[in-house]
Amino acid sequence: MKINNQAVNRLLKTLAPVYKAADTDPGQLGCKWQQDVMRRIRQMEPPQGQASFFQAVSRAAWKLAPVTAVLAIVCGVAAFNFDVVSEWQALDLMASVTDTVAYLDFLQ
Amino acid sequence: MSLHKPEDDDQEIVRQACSGDTNAFEKLLTRHKRHVGAIAAAHVPASQVEDIAQEVFIKLYLGLSNIREKGSIKGWLAAVTIRTCYDFWRKQYRRNEIAESSLTTDQRNWIEQVISDETGQRLAEQREARQVLEAVLQKFGPEDRMVMELVYFQGHSVKETAGLLGWSSANVKIRTFRARKKLKKILAALREGINQ
């Protein structure tokens, strides 16, 4: 026999008061519990207030510092290995060289 | 007539606690521990209520500056307690610490009586009702369990449930639908067991 929506509704309707009637008295949160919690709280640092804009920026900068350093090293190594000719150097050379074939050879 | 609200007191105490006054925080704890305890006791086993409540108050202490801006502590505590209970069940399910329950013949018969339209009030008072409730909830995952408890047993609206769990309303609707479908499956399986 198939279970229909009515059967599900009936079960849920019957179980709802059972759930509500269950013992939800938090009587166990007594003095000893409170003392334990407060002991833990007192051992902790005071809660941090909302950080100012400059504090937030400075924290973010420090967090990003290792990544930036790694990127700088990678770029430096790449520039050294690939022997990159900067645009201004190329332009300077083009302006001074009259032999275009030699210039193109140089660029290659 | 005084227009002084308890929330105003809370705000003043939060302000003091934010500046490191732990005695002020203790006032907050004393004032709200019953509220937190009652919510936790409704969702987790009694043996876990203390731990859950402790976790909630530590979260409150660490998040005091946010609450100072947002306002109502009671609402914040309710949502954080519900989410901490949900986290508890997630951990339990991840560790497979949920006991697999099989229903006794009496419990199966009780379900059969409920389904076949007998007066619910009398049946709800029977001992089997509580046992069936526990057994049924154990068969749900943490998400479905929380949704079942909040929507069907405690009568919260979809919007309220979404707010308490920090989910979208659409997610709660989907979960509610799936939980219902799963309940149907569970009932069908139980019935097959009875008829065999």
Side-chain angles (χ1 to χ4, degrees):
Chain A
M1 194 178 152
K2 216 181 164 199
I3 301 287
N4 56 19
N5 280 332
Q6 269 185 328
V8 175
N9 285 343
R10 229 173 280 139
L11 183 72
L12 288 171
K13 217 174 153 187
T14 314
L15 287 179
V18 179
Y19 179 87
K20 282 180 186 158
D23 184 22
T24 55
D25 180 32
Q28 51 195 317
L29 301 182
C31 285
K32 196 189 165 298
W33 172 84
Q34 187 163 332
Q35 281 168 5
D36 286 346
V37 178
M38 285 314 296
R39 194 178 309 123
R40 274 196 69 181
I41 298 274
R42 288 193 174 101
Q43 284 166 356
M44 295 164 84
E45 284 184 21
Q48 296 259 318
Q50 193 76 13
S52 71
F53 175 73
F54 290 110
Q55 279 173 325
V57 169
S58 117
R59 248 181 249 163
W62 278 111
K63 273 185 189 166
L64 290 174
V67 181
T68 317
V70 169
L71 273 178
I73 291 168
V74 169
C75 289
V77 171
F80 182 77
N81 286 336
F82 292 118
D83 191 21
V84 179
V85 179
S86 65
E87 274 180 33
W88 72 265
Q89 275 177 320
L91 277 171
D92 191 36
L93 209 62
M94 194 170 76
S96 60
V97 173
T98 47
D99 185 353
T100 26
V101 177
Y103 173 70
L104 287 173
D105 281 346
F106 168 77
L107 282 184
Q108 279 165 6
Chain B
M1 199 177 96
S2 168
L3 290 172
H4 190 73
K5 296 179 195 163
E7 294 91 55
D8 297 338
D9 272 356
D10 279 350
Q11 287 305 315
E12 177 56 25
I13 298 172
V14 167
R15 200 185 55 73
Q16 291 169 3
C18 267
S19 57
D21 183 353
T22 47
N23 291 332
F25 184 79
E26 192 163 10
K27 275 187 210 165
L28 272 184
L29 191 147
T30 311
R31 186 177 288 182
H32 294 289
K33 69 177 181 182
R34 280 192 73 82
H35 173 59
V36 169
I39 297 171
H43 293 282
V44 294
S47 60
Q48 298 298 325
V49 172
E50 284 193 0
D51 288 348
I52 297 281
Q54 175 164 324
E55 207 177 320
V56 169
F57 279 104
I58 286 172
K59 282 179 185 167
L60 172 67
Y61 185 70
L62 295 173
L64 275 174
S65 55
N66 295 328
I67 295 162
R68 200 168 151 187
E69 283 155 19
K70 282 180 189 163
S72 168
I73 289 187
K74 227 171 172 184
W76 189 91
L77 281 172
V80 171
T81 310
I82 293 285
R83 287 173 208 175
T84 311
C85 293
Y86 168 55
D87 287 342
F88 164 79
W89 285 116
R90 274 173 58 195
K91 279 181 208 156
Q92 293 291 104
Y93 280 85
R94 212 177 297 144
R95 291 186 206 142
N96 286 326
E97 285 180 8
I98 301 296
E100 193 57 47
S101 59
S102 55
L103 295 177
T104 62
T105 317
D106 285 348
Q107 292 163 356
R108 281 163 189 258
N109 289 338
W110 183 88
I111 292 178
E112 192 63 23
Q113 281 177 314
V114 172
I115 291 172
S116 52
D117 201 9
E118 290 211 10
T119 38
Q121 183 55 39
R122 187 178 56 80
L123 290 164
E125 285 161 6
Q126 289 177 3
R127 185 166 44 92
E128 285 80 16
R130 183 74 211 169
Q131 294 163 346
V132 167
L133 176 67
E134 292 293 333
V136 165
L137 284 175
Q138 275 175 11
K139 291 190 185 295
F140 287 109
E143 291 85 6
D144 294 342
R145 183 187 186 111
M146 293 308 289
V147 161
M148 281 297 271
E149 289 183 351
L150 291 167
V151 176
Y152 289 118
F153 299 149
Q154 293 191 336
H156 288 288
S157 68
V158 167
K159 202 177 165 192
E160 285 167 346
T161 307
L164 287 168
L165 285 164
W167 298 351
S168 65
S169 295
N171 194 10
V172 173
K173 276 183 196 166
I174 292 167
R175 285 278 166 207
T176 314
F177 177 73
R178 283 188 194 159
R180 224 185 133 81
K181 220 172 156 186
K182 189 161 187 186
L183 183 62
K184 234 179 187 178
K185 250 186 184 173
I186 293 168
L187 290 179
L190 286 172
R191 217 170 214 195
E192 265 176 34
I194 293 169
N195 293 337
Q196 272 169 11

